[in-house]
Amino acid sequence: LRAPPPAFLPVAMSSNEQQELATQLYTAQQRLQKQQQQRQMVAARSSSLQKSVSRAQLTMKELETLDENTRCYKQIGRAFLLSTRSGVISSLKDSTQQSEKQLKTMAETAKMLEKQVVDSEKEAEALYQQLQRSS
């Protein structure tokens, strides 16, 4: 019979080493929780932006069916200001383009956060396994 590889040999750990592992595990779990919260916030913000883009596109579509001389109102905060149809369409296009840029940035951020979450999960699992073996 051959001896198992050194990584699988049980190693007696002192209580200080176990405490250090427990501290590292706690830190990894906290980091994982923070990353998951950030990921949820990015997803919620992306969803909100997507709804905003859809609403602006539908509004532009409806405005394009109107006559050029039709009176239009643009919302600014709680107030509505009289504007030209082309002015309202222009501002909707600008806001749509800006929102789409933000959506691209958020998609990249979401990918990065997803990778970090997976890495943190692996790290926490490895620390947990190591702590279990040392007990």
Side-chain angles (χ1 to χ4, degrees), residues 34-84:
K34 183 179 177 184
Q35 290 167 346
Q36 288 173 334
Q37 287 173 347
Q38 288 175 337
R39 184 177 60 177
Q40 289 173 347
M41 289 176 62
V42 166
R45 179 75 175 129
S46 293
S47 175
S48 174
L49 280 172
Q50 187 59 44
K51 288 177 185 176
S52 174
V53 167
S54 296
R55 183 177 28 234
Q57 288 173 341
L58 289 171
T59 303
M60 282 189 292
K61 184 178 176 183
E62 288 297 319
L63 285 173
E64 289 171 355
T65 63
L66 299 175
D67 184 38
E68 182 63 40
N69 298 326
T70 304
R71 297 173 106 188
C72 296
Y73 292 88
K74 179 169 45 172
Q75 183 177 0
I76 299 182
R78 292 184 180 185
F80 291 89
L81 299 176
L82 183 61
S83 180
T84 64

Side-chain angles (χ1 to χ4, degrees), residues 48-134:
S48 174
L49 280 172
Q50 187 59 44
K51 288 177 185 176
S52 174
V53 167
S54 296
R55 183 177 28 234
Q57 288 173 341
L58 289 171
T59 303
M60 282 189 292
K61 184 178 176 183
E62 288 297 319
L63 285 173
E64 289 171 355
T65 63
L66 299 175
D67 184 38
E68 182 63 40
N69 298 326
T70 304
R71 297 173 106 188
C72 296
Y73 292 88
K74 179 169 45 172
Q75 183 177 0
I76 299 182
R78 292 184 180 185
F80 291 89
L81 299 176
L82 183 61
S83 180
T84 64
R85 181 181 77 100
S86 59
V88 173
I89 290 174
S90 174
S91 70
L92 285 172
K93 284 181 181 179
D94 290 343
S95 69
T96 300
Q97 289 173 350
Q98 200 173 41
S99 293
E100 287 174 344
K101 286 180 185 178
Q102 289 177 349
L103 280 170
K104 287 180 184 179
T105 302
M106 290 204 169
E108 292 170 5
T109 302
K111 282 182 185 179
M112 179 193 66
L113 284 171
E114 184 64 35
K115 184 179 181 298
Q116 288 177 353
V117 164
V118 168
D119 291 344
S120 293
E121 286 174 342
K122 288 178 183 177
E123 178 187 2
E125 181 65 27
L127 286 169
Y128 180 75
Q129 294 296 328
Q130 191 175 0
L131 190 60
Q132 288 296 323
R133 283 195 305 256
S134 70

